[in-house]
Amino acid sequence: MHERRWIKAEELAPKAHAKRCVILLMEAAISVTAAITAVVNGIQGDPENRLFTCVCTAVFMWVPHVIERAAKHRFSVSQHAAYIIMLTGSALIGSAFNVFNKVGWYDCAMHFLSGYVMMIFIIIPFAGKLNKAEEGGRSERKSGLATVLVLFLCSLGTAAVWEIMEFTVDLLAGQSSQGHVPPEVIAMLEEQGITGIRAAWEGMKYVSVLDTDLDMLCHTGGTLVFCLHYIIHLLTGRSLGMKFLISDIYGRDMNEAEERAAAAEKVYADGEEGSR
């Protein structure tokens, strides 16, 4: 396997460079919005305990770029778009703007959407195999169906990891991702002089598990929709948007210099023409 080389933005094909610039502008806008919201909350004394989530949103927006640099490999446009959708909907609108606590159905809706969108990341190691399944015969399609089952199980694993992360943040940072501690319990703990992490731990014992159960159920629903979407696409041969998604994830336009990307696109076009 040859060593990966980081392709500078100016070396990318014009179309890939333009898409990259649009993605960067969108991510910068979200990060700046979260940072401004953090400043406003800080000035107001953080009345809704949103400062922590605002800062995290502003910082986490750039995590994909850190990973890209470390791995010397850029994510595809669809993967950046998926990350933007998840972070904007959950971290910015849901947490930073506190919509999760103001609109009852919004949390379930975001976990359902996350169950679908998360598959765009989980599919990364399998994109080549799924791409081959589309071009192959019956045996390859069976392999594609088996791969979808593995993807489904992996997605359920991410739902469990997410809930563990929420629990950890609630415990260490005094947040309420998994539900609010009843006011009478908070008063009781204060009377006993229990504060900090110990207070958060004791308080979590009185938080209902309904939120966690609904989150995982909704995530499973979104993942099932993605799996059905792909299966219908695979069995019918219709694109349904899934062909573009897989080819974008499998594609290398964000990781190849202009000349090589143009050559690869020509080979792909010739192959399409020859299959007609």
Side-chain angles (χ1 to χ4, degrees):
M1 181 181 292
H2 67 278
E3 184 179 354
R4 284 179 175 173
R5 181 176 74 88
W6 179 257
I7 303 298
K8 296 180 181 179
E10 56 268 23
E11 294 179 5
L12 296 173
K15 186 184 294 185
H17 189 228
K19 291 188 289 187
R20 181 76 176 171
C21 288
V22 171
I23 288 293
L24 283 170
L25 286 173
M26 293 176 66
E27 292 170 338
I30 296 167
S31 183
V32 170
T33 300
I36 292 174
T37 307
V39 172
V40 172
N41 274 279
I43 293 173
Q44 295 177 344
D46 198 17
E48 296 181 326
N49 194 23
R50 298 292 98 191
L51 182 59
F52 177 81
T53 55
C54 291
V55 173
C56 286
T57 303
V59 174
F60 286 172
M61 188 72 256
W62 302 106
V63 167
H65 296 279
V66 175
I67 296 174
E68 286 179 342
R69 282 287 183 176
K72 294 182 180 180
H73 186 87
R74 291 188 177 95
F75 290 113
S76 69
V77 171
S78 60
Q79 288 162 344
H80 273 284
Y83 188 74
I84 288 171
I85 289 171
M86 286 201 303
L87 208 69
T88 301
S90 296
L92 183 62
I93 297 175
S95 294
F97 292 165
N98 205 22
V99 174
F100 282 141
N101 292 322
K102 296 176 180 177
V103 181
W105 54 264
Y106 188 77
D107 186 39
C108 285
M110 281 309 306
H111 277 280
F112 184 90
L113 179 62
S114 295
Y116 185 98
V117 173
M118 186 63 72
M119 294 289 278
I120 297 174
F121 294 98
I122 298 173
I123 209 173
I124 294 175
F126 304 95
K129 191 169 185 177
L130 293 179
N131 195 60
K132 185 178 179 181
E134 294 191 8
E135 299 172 354
R138 184 176 179 182
S139 62
E140 291 293 348
R141 285 197 294 272
K142 285 184 178 180
S143 176
L145 292 174
T147 302
V148 169
L149 175 60
V150 174
L151 291 172
F152 174 73
L153 296 176
C154 288
S155 182
L156 296 190
T158 64
V161 171
W162 182 265
E163 294 304 319
I164 292 172
M165 289 171 56
E166 283 192 349
F167 175 82
T168 303
V169 170
D170 287 356
L171 186 63
L172 300 180
Q175 300 299 297
S176 55
S177 304
Q178 296 195 314
H180 293 276
V181 179
E184 59 271 19
V185 174
I186 296 176
M188 177 189 71
L189 294 173
E190 289 176 349
E191 288 178 3
Q192 296 177 9
I194 300 175
T195 60
I197 295 178
R198 186 187 171 195
W201 176 267
E202 294 298 330
M204 289 290 288
K205 296 177 181 179
Y206 296 88
V207 174
S208 171
V209 297
L210 179 62
D211 180 80
T212 299
D213 291 344
L214 283 177
D215 289 351
M216 297 186 73
L217 181 63
C218 292
H219 182 101
T220 302
T223 298
L224 280 173
V225 170
F226 182 95
C227 292
L228 289 173
H229 185 182
Y230 176 76
I231 289 171
I232 293 172
H233 154 70
L234 185 65
L235 295 181
T236 63
R238 296 182 179 274
S239 176
L240 304 177
M242 189 61 69
K243 184 176 179 63
F244 165 79
L245 183 63
I246 293 174
S247 66
D248 180 64
I249 295 172
Y250 183 64
R252 301 180 177 90
D253 60 333
M254 289 294 171
N255 296 283
E256 292 183 342
E258 181 176 357
E259 298 81 4
R260 188 172 175 183
E265 186 173 342
K266 184 178 184 305
V267 170
Y268 178 79
D270 292 343
E272 286 286 300
E273 186 68 28
S275 64
R276 290 175 185 173

